[in-house]
Amino acid sequence: MVNRCGACGQDTLGRNWTFENRPGEVFCDSCANGPRCYDCGGPSGRAWVFDDGRKQCDRCRSSSVLDKSSVLALANVILDFMHSSLRMSLSPLPEIHLASLDQIRAAFETPRPDAAGICIIKSGSHPTILVPYGMARLPLATLLTHELAHVWVFQNARTKLAISSIAHEGFCEWVAWQTAIGCFRSQTEANKIAKKDGRYGTWFRAMASLHTSIPAIDIPILVSHEDSRIPRAVLKDSGKVTSVHGLGVGIFKIGRDKGCCNILIENPYASRTHSSVQVEARGTAYLRDLGSRNGTKVNGRDARSSALRPGDTIQLGSTSLIFDSVARPV
């Protein structure tokens, strides 16, 4: 049986190279050790070469996005998912343009030779996103989602503190990861995000560790440069951990109402808006009962309001939240 190289189509001569981002294909020595596709990271083989130097394999070329109407249609698919599944809405919507890598990197105030896209937001002007022309649909969707998440953060962040790169970029990577899985059903794209090397991979994994499931994220996970730890709430039901929620600066409502609560609990003994946790810029946190029917307890004692310390347990019927914090990665 002859195995054909997925890049050049030639016989692999029994030396079959495989790549995680190109499942189901094998590659010959020459292609496996040659140039890589900018989009998928696999061998580019008989590459298409863009004016800005990007190489693209035949497989990615078959779904490349080359016109503005196509990228806007893709953006609408992403925005619909962000709104319906992640409860993230943008207003106003950004302008989206296709550009070369040279144009994208020239738009940064400081040199960014590794930048693939940019979200430009200036006071008094419309947000603008630039992404590379000709990218394959799924890699472009991942990049575009990341940049749309940047817009959402700037429109919705309820803090005037400096936003750390760890929290900001990690959150945008997390949104792209959720969209790859939930909207495009692409485990390959999700794995590319989760296994990235360098700072983006580190920041994504830091944010993902705070979210074991899709949470209510009306307030993003944002910490200031001065914060040394990230506060979080570990939600348990009948003793089992069901989700973990990162807490930024702001007020987080807890209850059954999906319309206004940041931390949702499925508990018939909990009120629709049961209680709230307020996190201040200096890192202090306070619990407040919001007139719930069955009350709120902190460490086993009834509490209408209470300062919170790491390790405190908030009890709402059979549901408990452990207030703690995790070290902010560097």
Side-chain angles (χ1 to χ4, degrees):
M1 177 180 177
V2 175
N3 287 321
R4 298 290 180 181
C5 174
C8 70
Q10 300 298 311
D11 187 347
T12 62
L13 302 176
R15 293 178 60 83
N16 300 322
W17 293 77
T18 59
F19 291 81
E20 184 177 6
N21 294 340
R22 297 283 293 271
E25 295 181 279
V26 295
F27 300 90
C28 66
D29 277 342
S30 178
C31 290
N33 293 289
R36 298 297 177 84
C37 173
Y38 179 84
D39 293 352
C40 71
S44 59
R46 299 166 297 193
W48 297 80
V49 182
F50 293 101
D51 292 340
D52 54 16
R54 284 177 292 141
K55 295 178 174 63
Q56 190 177 57
C57 66
D58 285 339
R59 181 176 177 177
C60 289
R61 183 70 176 181
S62 66
S63 66
S64 60
V65 178
L66 295 164
D67 59 88
K68 188 171 181 178
S69 61
S70 296
V71 77
L72 292 179
L74 181 60
N76 285 333
V77 172
I78 296 167
L79 289 167
D80 285 346
F81 175 81
M82 290 171 64
H83 175 72
S84 62
S85 297
L86 300 179
R87 295 167 58 191
M88 299 170 66
S89 298
L90 278 60
S91 181
L93 294 176
E95 295 180 2
I96 302 173
H97 300 284
L98 294 170
S100 69
L101 280 184
D102 295 333
Q103 292 171 321
I104 291 170
R105 291 166 182 175
F108 284 88
E109 295 179 356
T110 56
R112 287 286 302 277
D114 61 340
I118 185 173
C119 169
I120 305 170
I121 300 179
K122 296 181 179 179
S123 179
S125 63
H126 209 73
T128 301
I129 291 173
L130 302 181
V131 291
Y133 66 89
M135 283 188 72
R137 186 172 184 268
L138 286 178
L140 178 60
T142 297
L143 175 60
L144 188 54
T145 304
H146 180 102
E147 301 304 332
L148 288 168
H150 274 301
V151 176
W152 185 88
V153 168
F154 280 108
Q155 290 179 350
N156 292 273
R158 301 178 187 179
T159 173
K160 295 183 179 180
L161 292 174
I163 301 173
S164 77
S165 294
I166 290 173
H168 193 159
E169 296 290 355
F171 177 78
C172 294
E173 286 287 274
W174 180 85
V175 173
W177 179 77
Q178 291 283 10
T179 304
I181 293 175
C183 180
F184 296 101
R185 301 294 190 269
S186 176
Q187 192 61 52
T188 299
E189 280 300 307
N191 288 342
K192 283 166 62 177
I193 296 171
K195 297 181 179 181
K196 278 184 181 178
D197 295 326
R199 56 187 181 179
Y200 281 90
T202 300
W203 295 340
F204 163 75
R205 288 184 286 274
M207 291 298 105
S209 70
L210 299 175
H211 289 274
T212 57
S213 61
I214 296 178
I217 49 175
D218 294 324
I219 302 177
I221 314 163
L222 300 178
V223 295
S224 75
H225 286 290
E226 298 177 354
D227 293 330
S228 59
R229 298 184 67 82
I230 302 172
R232 65 179 186 173
V234 180
L235 184 63
K236 292 184 176 183
D237 197 346
S238 300
K240 296 182 179 180
V241 175
T242 57
S243 60
V244 182
H245 300 264
L247 305 179
V249 176
I251 299 176
F252 297 78
K253 291 183 179 180
I254 307 166
R256 295 185 292 106
D257 191 335
K258 295 181 179 180
C260 69
C261 290
N262 308 100
I263 300 177
L264 296 176
I265 55 177
E266 300 294 336
N267 184 333
Y269 298 102
S271 298
R272 292 178 61 83
T273 52
H274 195 105
S275 56
S276 67
V277 172
Q278 179 175 350
V279 180
E280 297 185 342
R282 58 189 177 184
T284 54
Y286 300 92
L287 171 89
R288 186 182 302 277
D289 184 87
L290 300 178
S292 65
R293 179 181 300 177
N294 294 308
T296 304
K297 294 183 178 181
V298 175
N299 299 329
R301 296 183 177 181
D302 291 333
R304 294 184 62 84
S305 63
S306 175
L308 293 175
R309 297 175 178 80
D312 282 352
T313 299
I314 305 167
Q315 194 73 35
L316 307 91
S318 64
T319 302
S320 61
L321 286 90
I322 312 300
F323 178 79
D324 70 357
S325 59
V326 291
R328 180 166 65 90
V330 295

